[in-house]
Amino acid sequence: MTYDPTGHLLLTPVDREAPARVERLRQLGFGDRPDPAFDEFAHRLAEVTGAPYSMVNFIDENRQFFAGLHTPGGTHSGTDAGAAAGGVSRFMARDHGYCPHVVVRRKALVLEDVCDYPRFAGNPVVDEIGIRSYLGAPLIDRTGIALGTICVVDTEPRPWGRAGLETIKSLAAELIEQIHHREDTRF
C-alpha cells in the first residue's frame, strides 16, 4: 500500500508501466473507441461466467476504457455521459474498480464478496454502482506489457472459486491471441 503526503491510504496502486502501456495501446489502435469484436467477446464472457456485466478494459494514466462492454440491458454509451443517460459509460476513473490492481499486480483477482476485503470494500464502485463481486485477469501481450484486463462483475456476491479463476485466465489468453492476430494481419 502507498500513502499520499498527507498520510491517507491510496486505494489505487502506483502504475509505473502506464506510459509504456499508453504507447503500446496507440500502436495497436486500442483504448479510445468501442470495438465490435471486443463487445462480442465481452458478451461471450458474460455468457460463459453467468455474470451480468463484463468488460474488455484498457487502462491509461487517468482512466479506464471499456473497449468491449456487456450489460444486462445492453445499454451503454461511448461517452462519460452514458451513465447519466441511463446506460453504463465506457469510461471510468482509474481510481474506481479493481482492474488497476490486476494490471499492476499482473495477476488474476477473485473477489467473491468485495466487502470481505477492507482494501477493496472502500472502492467507490461499491457504493456508487453496487458492485459486490469481481473476477478479472490481465491482458499481457507479447511485449510483456499489461494492456488492461478482462473482467466480470455482479451486484451480488458470487462463489467464483477455482473454476472461475481458471476460466477468466483462459479467456484472457484467448483474447491476447486474438489481439496478436489482429496486429499481425494489420501490418
Side-chain angles (χ1 to χ4, degrees), residues 90-155:
R90 287 194 182 261
F91 297 96
M92 183 181 286
R94 190 179 171 283
D95 63 349
H96 283 54
Y98 310 105
C99 291
H101 295 271
V102 172
V103 166
V104 170
R105 289 169 20 126
R106 304 172 64 83
K107 291 177 160 182
L109 178 63
V110 178
L111 300 171
E112 294 182 344
D113 185 343
V114 298
C115 294
D116 289 344
Y117 304 89
R119 177 180 189 182
F120 298 115
N123 195 285
V125 297
V126 175
D127 293 331
E128 293 175 18
I129 303 171
I131 300 303
R132 285 295 300 274
S133 61
Y134 172 92
L135 177 64
L139 296 170
I140 301 173
D141 82 342
R142 62 174 63 138
T143 68
I145 293 176
L147 303 173
T149 68
I150 61 168
C151 69
V152 294
V153 297
D154 201 337
T155 56

Side-chain angles (χ1 to χ4, degrees), residues 27-51:
Q27 288 174 353
L28 294 169
F30 299 154
D32 61 356
R33 65 185 177 282
D35 185 305
F38 292 148
D39 279 342
E40 190 175 305
F41 190 89
H43 178 73
R44 185 168 151 251
L45 181 59
E47 284 183 335
V48 168
T49 62

Side-chain angles (χ1 to χ4, degrees), residues 45 49 108 135-137 150-152 163-173:
L45 181 59
T49 62
L135 177 64
I150 61 168
C151 69
V152 294
L165 178 63
E166 295 306 320
T167 297
I168 201 80
K169 288 166 59 176
S170 173
L171 287 166

Side-chain angles (χ1 to χ4, degrees), residues 57-72:
N57 185 9
F58 297 120
I59 301 172
D60 66 22
E61 294 104 329
N62 303 307
R63 68 178 186 182
Q64 304 175 64
F65 175 70
F66 305 127
L69 178 62
H70 172 84
T71 64

